[in-house]
Amino acid sequence: MKELLFGTGGSPHSSKTQSTIDGIRRVAELGLGCMELEFVYGVRMGEAGARLVAETASQEGVKLSAHGPYYINLNAREPEKVIASQERILQTARIGAICGAESIIFHAAFYLGDPPEKTYSVVKKYRENNGIWVRPEVMGKPTQFGTIDEILNLCAELEGVGIGMDFAHWHARSGEANSYPEFTSVLQQIKQRLGDQALNNMHIHVSGIAYGQKGEKKHLNLQESDFNYVELLRALKDFDAKGLLICESPSLEGDALLLQETYNGL
Ligand SMILES: [Zn+2]
């Protein structure tokens, strides 16, 4: 990637309709650079629709990524749930690839009381190579698989696996990770483990976030939260991080534009 692009998780609220095509057009109109396709309640797009999405995105110059369904737990107790989870990831990757998305992002698993190492080895067994970056996300609750270390270990061990770096989740998980030195230490860790190419091809989620003892509660608009987005953007700029930054605040394009303008003003 040549630069850091800013965009929305799903179609902007101000799109003509909430369709993916209108969403992509609106992203371009707003002067944003990317959009995440939200397959969070299931992949309901067919191949013909996906080809149209790819065409529109390339005409409008908008880069895409795809978020997999929420109903994924690679560490589920029931084998049929594990198989269904694997199929959901695969389907996201297949349709995402036809859409021209460069990455898919998903919530990999819950520990369900297992030791994290055990969950790690279960998640690691799932691999699928279809030419799209597969990015397990850094998660916001201590019951969820997805610390930075866990995801970086997967990336280092498996080809085609990258980090879905959700800075809001990481902050909510512990209440920490909300200052310039903490942000740069995350970026430093990514650089050390995966090299410069990882910083040149980042996938980042940002939003305001409410959290408590059990981690993430819900997403908030940036200015209604304690999330220190200015310092995060400064860290990203200082590390020359490139790739897609997807805003998941309730205001979507409002905060995506705020992030882009703030970043450009630094
Ligand atoms: Zn997510």
Side-chain angles (χ1 to χ4, degrees), residues 6 18 63 67 89 97 100 113 118 121 131 163 165 180 199 207 239 245 251 259:
F6 293 80
Q18 285 301 297
K63 297 269 185 217
H67 197 302
I89 299 171
K118 179 158 176 275
S121 64
I163 184 167
M165 185 58 227
Y180 181 84
L199 288 181
S207 70
F239 271 72
L245 188 152
S251 75
L259 288 162

Side-chain angles (χ1 to χ4, degrees), residues 78-91:
E78 304 81 350
E80 63 276 16
K81 284 193 188 164
V82 174
I83 292 167
S85 296
Q86 294 173 342
E87 276 169 4
R88 287 182 182 123
I89 299 171
L90 182 58
Q91 229 191 341

